[in-house]
Amino acid sequence: VQAQVESGGGSVEAGGSLKLSCAPSEAQYTTSRWCMGWFRQAPEKEREGIATVFSRGHPTYYADSVKGRFTISQDNAKNTLYLQMNNLKPEDTAMYYCASCSFYEGRPVANTYWGQGTQVTVSS
């Protein structure tokens, strides 16, 4: 059983909560602190950035679909990125990935995905 970069996914009923963790290597985390975040991809949908942090003067980014429900945070001492997801909805069902990123026209674009993702399934 190998360690996974992303963890914390699972199955939950609508309205429930989950907290995802992203634990890349120290080198990956340190060199990517200027921009890192969470992306997700639902079946037959394009992968989208949902929450990112940027250390070069940009505020935290949240996609409109998750504003007020998801919170991104980080622990630099542990080289770990988190995503607290509250009031989950069926449309949140997707594979969630963490990645280094950049911004284009105000939206995040992934540069390097750090793991194979963690599945989140929300039932109605």
Side-chain angles (χ1 to χ4, degrees):
V1 180
Q2 66 178 19
Q4 301 294 316
V5 174
E6 298 100 336
S7 63
S11 181
V12 64
E13 294 184 353
S17 299
L18 288 172
K19 186 174 184 178
L20 308 184
S21 297
C22 169
S25 70
E26 181 177 358
Q28 288 177 312
Y29 187 92
T30 300
T31 60
S32 301
R33 284 199 300 168
W34 63 278
C35 184
M36 64 183 77
W38 292 92
F39 296 74
R40 70 183 182 186
Q41 186 168 23
E44 302 183 353
K45 298 289 186 179
E46 294 294 322
R47 193 171 297 184
E48 62 175 340
I50 56 171
T52 61
V53 291
F54 192 73
S55 63
R56 303 292 185 176
H58 292 282
T60 301
Y61 168 86
Y62 292 102
D64 289 341
S65 59
V66 306
K67 285 182 179 177
R69 300 189 298 117
F70 291 10
T71 302
I72 187 171
S73 62
Q74 59 192 111
D75 186 336
N76 292 334
K78 296 181 179 179
N79 301 316
T80 302
L81 188 69
Y82 304 98
L83 184 67
Q84 178 66 51
M85 306 184 294
N86 297 325
N87 191 25
L88 284 161
K89 303 176 180 180
E91 51 263 43
D92 294 319
T93 296
M95 184 71 77
Y96 285 70
Y97 306 85
C98 57
S100 62
C101 55
S102 57
F103 282 84
Y104 182 72
E105 297 183 343
R107 296 186 177 185
V109 177
N111 291 334
T112 301
Y113 288 100
W114 291 330
Q116 295 183 336
T118 184
Q119 178 68 41
V120 171
T121 301
V122 184
S123 62
S124 59

